Amino acid sequence: PNPHFVPKLRRFSGKDKRVARYIRSFAQTRVFLKKIEALLLYLIPHYIAEGKSYLNIAFGCTGGRHRSVTMAEVIRRALIKKGYNAKVIHRDLDKTLA
């Protein structure tokens, strides 16, 4: 579900703890994050073994301010916790709300 349509969350971004808590409160979100993390933890060593110096991962959502932001931040923290370098660029975070 999109926090954009929750009046008390709309003005905040996916970096806000309230928004992140809302997004992560759904079972499908937790399953999605576990599967993405597992996939990346499987793939990254293979990229490294092939001599790749970087890997771009992108998340998207309707407005680019809530769900994709939370997902990117959660995965970034998970990768860092596993010892990988990870940075996030939120392309649409600063777009104004309609």
Side-chain angles (χ1 to χ4, degrees):
N2 191 343
H4 177 80
F5 298 109
V6 178
K8 66 180 181 178
L9 298 177
R10 184 177 187 175
R11 66 184 170 109
F12 301 106
S13 80
K15 286 184 165 187
D16 187 275
K17 289 179 183 181
R18 291 164 287 198
V19 174
R21 191 174 325 127
Y22 173 79
I23 292 168
R24 295 182 77 178
S25 72
F26 298 95
Q28 68 263 35
T29 303
R30 294 188 300 273
V31 170
F32 176 81
L33 287 168
K34 276 186 178 184
K35 289 182 180 229
I36 292 296
E37 181 180 345
L39 175 64
L40 292 172
L41 292 177
Y42 169 76
L43 287 175
I44 290 172
H46 295 286
Y47 276 78
I48 293 169
E50 288 182 13
K52 307 291 185 193
S53 58
Y54 64 91
L55 170 66
N56 290 320
I57 304 159
F59 292 96
C61 64
T62 305
R65 293 187 34 82
H66 298 104
R67 293 168 294 174
S68 62
V69 171
T70 293
M71 301 297 181
E73 293 294 333
V74 169
I75 294 300
R76 178 188 63 80
R77 286 191 300 271
L79 293 176
I80 288 171
K81 189 175 181 179
K82 295 293 184 177
Y84 294 109
N85 257 338
K87 70 176 183 174
V88 172
I89 299 169
H90 297 293
R91 186 187 73 184
D92 297 327
L93 188 60
D94 294 325
K95 287 186 178 177
T96 58
L97 294 173

